[in-house]
Amino acid sequence: MKFLSLLTAAYVGGSLRHPHEGVLHVDDNEADKLVADGVATDVSDDFTAKQDKAAPVETNTAPGGTTDAAEPVNPHQAEVAPQAAETEAKPTRRKAAADKE
């Protein structure tokens, strides 16, 4: 496990993280990838082994416990039913009131 400081916004553990969030604790594979991409610096030397064990690790799992994200439903426009607002009759325009002089 390594501690990284981001230089720019990057995806860490499956979510977009920003430098203002501070130091992130990630696994070695992801740390090597982020450092190689030039978006993070390794600051593991600044932390003790006790802090390494106590810090939670950024993982790539969803809150439900699965790593597979559901595919977003994006049907073609021809497959979508018309919206209710489009099917209702449009209100007729009223004539402007004449000036009463």
Side-chain angles (χ1 to χ4, degrees):
M1 301 297 165
K2 293 184 180 179
F3 290 95
L4 295 181
S5 177
L6 293 177
L7 303 172
T8 184
Y11 281 95
V12 179
S15 62
L16 185 63
R17 304 299 297 262
H18 299 277
H20 67 83
E21 296 178 40
V23 176
L24 303 174
H25 192 222
V26 297
D27 64 1
D28 293 335
N29 294 334
E30 187 150 8
D32 294 339
K33 179 181 174 281
L34 291 169
V35 171
D37 290 343
V39 296
T41 56
D42 188 0
V43 292
S44 299
D45 295 337
D46 298 340
F47 294 88
T48 64
K50 185 176 180 180
Q51 289 172 321
D52 188 22
K53 290 180 185 177
V57 178
E58 298 291 327
T59 59
N60 199 11
T61 59
T66 64
T67 57
D68 297 331
E71 289 293 324
V73 178
N74 192 8
H76 189 271
Q77 185 176 3
E79 300 170 348
V80 178
Q83 299 295 320
E86 295 172 358
T87 59
E88 295 175 2
K90 294 183 179 178
T92 57
R93 291 187 62 159
R94 295 174 54 189
K95 291 183 180 179
D99 290 338
K100 295 182 182 178
E101 293 183 14

